[in-house]
Amino acid sequence: MFADKLFVVVANNFFTIISLTIVTYVIQFYINYFNRKSKLPGPLPVPILGNLHQIGNDFPLAAESFRQKYGDLYEFYMGSTRHVVISRADLAEKVWGPLSIKNTKFIMRNAYSEGVDELGLGTRGMVLNRDIESWSFNRKFLVQSTSSPSFLREAIKLTSKVNEEVFKYWRIMEKVGMPISIPDWMDVIGIDVVVTTATGKRMSSTAELFNKLNVNEQKSEIKGMWNNGIKFAEAIFTYNESMAFMMLLSPFIRRNFPGFKSINQKYLDNKTWINDQLEKMISERRKEIENTPLDQPLEPSILTILLTTNTERDLEKISVGKNDQPLANDQLSSILREVFTGGLDTTSNTISYVIYFIAKYRDIYLKIRDEVLKVYGTLDNPNIVLESFEKLKYMDAVIQESIRSFPTISVISRAATEDVDFDGFTIEADTTVYTNLKALSNNPKYFTDPEKFNPDRFLNDKGSMVKYSFLPFGNGVRMCPGRAWAMVQMKTFLIKLVSTFDIELVDKNAEVKYKYATVNRPVDINLHIKARKD
């Protein structure tokens, strides 16, 4: 009896202590919340979760919902961490305007995040790297290597070759009336182009996809040097998806809450698998270079340039500050990984949206075709050269209008290195500030009839466009370093597409659909294709 009574007393006291602890935590949470120095409008957070329960799995949708309720400058919380969202051009100028590291207060992409470090991004690579010296080196390398005319010319040749192979598959599919799933095909085209360009070793993801479709039991005979191309692509997409999850959610929630815990582990296991693949790529190429005589030229792939940087075989003579030594393996892996993560998801998704719009509006499709005919003099296997791209003004306008209408990255972050004033509110140092790019580019104050897909606005009205209302590749010191390469890939594909096929949406009334996974990944863009009719 005594033991039973003692157990009851202890149990009651235990639950009382737990209850008081929880109540104390909740009270302290709201005391801190309501006593914070600079109070912005925004949804009321709850302890531990913050506003996670209101955001769900579609951050851009939640950001727009909050904007409509709280305005163009508001805050939200993930756990106990404050985040700020802006949706006005004058505020965007404060974040994106300065062009030099010394002048900008927003050199960082995000506030410190333990999850970013767990992904190996906090002091490596470029996208989320907070080590400015390391970031500067990586950025210079990527800009210099992916923007040189020689690299872009090779990229055109490789992209054209991959496109021609894909179109052979599409002609077979056309004969049996099989629709084309554009997101699936853009993913594998992207992986073949980017990985092959980056490593010098041919991927065959497009062949893998065609074989998987089993069209009349026909199979591609193309074999790549790297196996499991589609699996690698999916791993890269999963890695990109993990960035928002790891950056926004607190370690406590990720590691302890049912559901989140398993997702957290999946993302960490995926990171490990990608790192293993990168190490294999690097090791194989390093051996090939070591076995190549010094007087024999090397193929100038990105990986080759990485491995020879600051060595006697340096192809590009790249060094920044103290970084004048050959790159260590972790540097090699981080840069190569970001070539894939940055070069795959954004470009393949953007071209998918472009195709959606030009399939929906046939007059625009035909205008692109007319421009291609005018520039190249023929639609029968036009000779695509780098110098001709600047003449494709209308095509460029169509790409820009697609990005404006539905950006692949609709909400993007930067972090303050010191306190900044926004409309009289103080944004403390190391606060992540998100710019709602979609809200900016679809605001009727900045764009006439923003709901209309009108490429002409980038031909006729570009001079009157409000500064910082449209940031397709970002701006300032962290502008996308691979933008030239991305445009080459997209324009090369579009030239080949309009020269070869007529296209239409399977569902002509289909609206843009997407799945949010750090970027807006398109879904259900399906086309009927037919051979071009003159």
Side-chain angles (χ1 to χ4, degrees):
M1 288 291 291
F2 177 77
D4 291 341
K5 289 181 179 180
L6 180 62
F7 175 79
V8 171
V9 171
V10 171
N12 286 339
N13 286 336
F14 175 77
F15 287 116
T16 298
I17 293 171
I18 293 297
S19 299
L20 287 174
T21 301
I22 293 174
V23 170
T24 301
Y25 173 81
V26 171
I27 291 173
Q28 189 61 52
F29 176 87
Y30 282 115
I31 288 175
N32 293 338
Y33 174 75
F34 287 110
N35 287 338
R36 65 201 192 281
K37 293 181 180 179
S38 185
K39 303 174 184 178
L40 284 170
L44 181 70
V46 300
I48 300 178
L49 293 178
N51 299 111
L52 177 62
H53 60 296
Q54 295 165 289
I55 293 173
N57 59 4
D58 192 335
F59 179 42
L61 183 64
E64 178 58 18
S65 176
F66 291 154
R67 184 191 70 84
Q68 293 178 11
K69 187 172 183 179
Y70 301 108
D72 292 329
L73 174 62
Y74 66 85
E75 66 183 19
F76 72 94
Y77 280 75
M78 296 299 288
S80 59
T81 303
R82 179 196 193 204
H83 301 264
V84 174
V85 181
I86 59 173
S87 304
R88 278 199 345 246
D90 60 314
L91 297 178
E93 183 173 6
K94 287 191 173 185
V95 175
W96 298 94
L99 297 176
S100 72
I101 295 176
K102 293 181 179 179
N103 294 333
T104 182
K105 297 178 181 179
F106 287 90
I107 183 60
M108 301 299 179
R109 271 294 301 270
N110 62 287
Y112 171 75
S113 165
E114 188 175 334
V116 168
D117 283 352
E118 288 179 58
L119 286 177
L121 295 171
T123 57
R124 292 288 182 269
M126 191 171 60
V127 176
L128 301 177
N129 191 348
R130 295 174 60 81
D131 182 329
I132 298 302
E133 186 172 342
S134 168
W135 168 81
S136 296
F137 175 83
N138 295 342
R139 178 176 176 79
K140 180 174 181 180
F141 170 82
L142 284 174
V143 170
Q144 188 166 330
S145 61
T146 63
S147 300
S148 68
S150 59
F151 175 86
L152 295 176
R153 290 189 181 96
E154 287 301 313
I156 290 171
K157 292 178 183 178
L158 177 58
T159 304
S160 296
K161 182 177 181 180
V162 172
N163 292 341
E164 289 165 2
E165 291 168 358
V166 167
F167 288 171
K168 290 178 183 178
Y169 306 143
W170 286 14
R171 290 187 183 96
I172 296 171
M173 296 171 69
E174 174 195 1
K175 291 180 180 178
V176 298
M178 182 179 289
I180 306 295
S181 173
I182 288 299
D184 290 343
W185 280 100
M186 292 305 104
D187 283 351
V188 293
I189 290 172
I191 194 72
D192 278 7
V193 170
V194 172
V195 176
T196 305
T197 304
T199 67
K201 297 292 184 65
R202 179 59 199 272
M203 275 288 220
S204 56
S205 308
T206 52
E208 286 183 51
L209 177 57
F210 178 72
N211 292 342
K212 184 178 178 181
L213 293 173
N214 197 28
V215 184
N216 278 352
E217 298 185 352
Q218 296 191 55
K219 301 295 181 182
S220 172
E221 296 181 355
I222 295 175
K223 302 293 182 182
M225 296 295 292
W226 301 121
N227 295 322
N228 298 320
I230 292 179
K231 181 179 179 180
F232 184 78
E234 290 173 348
I236 293 296
F237 299 145
T238 298
Y239 189 84
N240 282 345
E241 177 182 314
S242 70
M243 291 183 193
F245 178 88
M246 301 293 281
M247 184 167 59
L248 287 171
L249 270 65
S250 70
F252 179 79
I253 292 175
R254 289 189 287 104
R255 296 168 186 168
N256 297 286
F257 277 47
F260 292 114
K261 185 177 180 180
S262 60
I263 295 173
N264 187 67
Q265 190 59 51
K266 180 188 79 170
Y267 288 149
L268 293 177
D269 290 344
N270 183 68
K271 178 202 74 171
T272 299
W273 187 85
I274 290 175
N275 287 344
D276 289 343
Q277 301 305 306
L278 295 177
E279 288 178 8
K280 290 178 183 177
M281 294 180 185
I282 292 168
S283 177
E284 289 183 18
R285 185 55 181 153
R286 189 190 298 277
K287 289 179 181 177
E288 291 171 353
I289 292 174
E290 290 173 350
N291 293 329
T292 302
L294 284 174
D295 58 352
Q296 183 175 328
L298 297 171
E299 184 178 0
S301 67
I302 292 177
L303 180 54
T304 300
I305 296 172
L306 276 170
L307 286 165
T308 59
T309 294
N310 298 330
T311 71
E312 60 185 339
R313 305 193 70 152
D314 196 336
L315 303 180
E316 299 291 340
K317 305 300 180 187
I318 301 173
S319 63
V320 179
K322 298 178 183 178
N323 290 303
D324 57 1
Q325 300 298 314
L327 303 182
N329 274 359
D330 59 345
Q331 291 176 299
L332 292 167
S333 293
S334 63
I335 297 175
L336 190 60
R337 181 181 59 214
E338 293 210 2
V339 169
F340 298 146
T341 56
L344 286 175
D345 232 0
T346 51
T347 304
S348 60
N349 294 337
T350 299
I351 191 64
S352 291
Y353 291 124
V354 173
I355 293 171
Y356 164 82
F357 284 115
I358 63 178
K360 190 176 182 68
Y361 303 107
R362 180 160 175 77
D363 59 323
I364 294 175
Y365 189 83
L366 293 177
K367 285 182 180 179
I368 296 176
R369 179 179 287 173
D370 288 343
E371 182 177 65
V372 170
L373 177 60
K374 180 179 180 181
V375 169
Y376 296 101
T378 181
L379 295 175
D380 296 322
N381 195 28
N383 181 30
I384 305 174
V385 294
L386 180 62
E387 289 73 18
S388 63
F389 280 6
E390 64 182 18
K391 301 176 184 178
L392 299 170
K393 303 293 187 183
Y394 188 73
M395 181 183 291
D396 190 76
V398 171
I399 294 172
Q400 301 282 0
E401 177 68 352
S402 176
I403 297 173
R404 183 202 67 81
S405 298
F406 203 91
T408 292
I409 301 177
S410 55
V411 181
I412 191 167
S413 65
R414 296 281 283 272
T417 56
E418 59 183 89
D419 292 357
V420 182
D421 178 81
F422 279 0
D423 286 359
F425 297 98
T426 299
I427 309 301
E428 292 86 356
D430 207 34
T431 297
T432 299
V433 177
Y434 293 89
T435 304
N436 191 335
L437 300 179
K438 187 175 181 183
L440 281 171
S441 64
N442 283 268
N443 190 329
K445 293 180 181 179
Y446 307 138
F447 295 92
T448 304
D449 299 324
E451 73 283 356
K452 293 184 179 179
F453 189 83
N454 177 23
D456 289 341
R457 74 175 82 242
F458 286 94
L459 297 174
N460 305 326
D461 304 326
K462 194 170 183 178
S464 61
M465 192 174 296
V466 176
K467 289 183 66 176
Y468 303 101
S469 63
F470 179 59
L471 302 166
F473 293 101
N475 195 68
V477 294
R478 281 192 180 262
M479 180 179 285
C480 174
R483 58 192 180 277
W485 186 17
M487 291 300 291
V488 158
Q489 291 179 60
M490 289 191 285
K491 286 188 175 182
T492 301
F493 182 84
L494 289 173
I495 292 167
K496 292 288 188 179
L497 178 67
V498 301
S499 300
T500 308
F501 295 110
D502 284 317
I503 64 174
E504 65 178 19
L505 293 171
V506 171
D507 179 0
K508 296 180 180 179
N509 297 316
E511 298 296 328
V512 175
K513 299 177 183 177
Y514 71 95
K515 172 189 175 184
Y516 176 68
T518 302
V519 298
N520 298 322
R521 303 206 73 230
V523 295
D524 295 336
I525 300 177
N526 298 302
L527 299 184
H528 288 307
I529 61 169
K530 296 181 180 179
R532 169 179 58 83
K533 295 180 180 178
D534 292 322

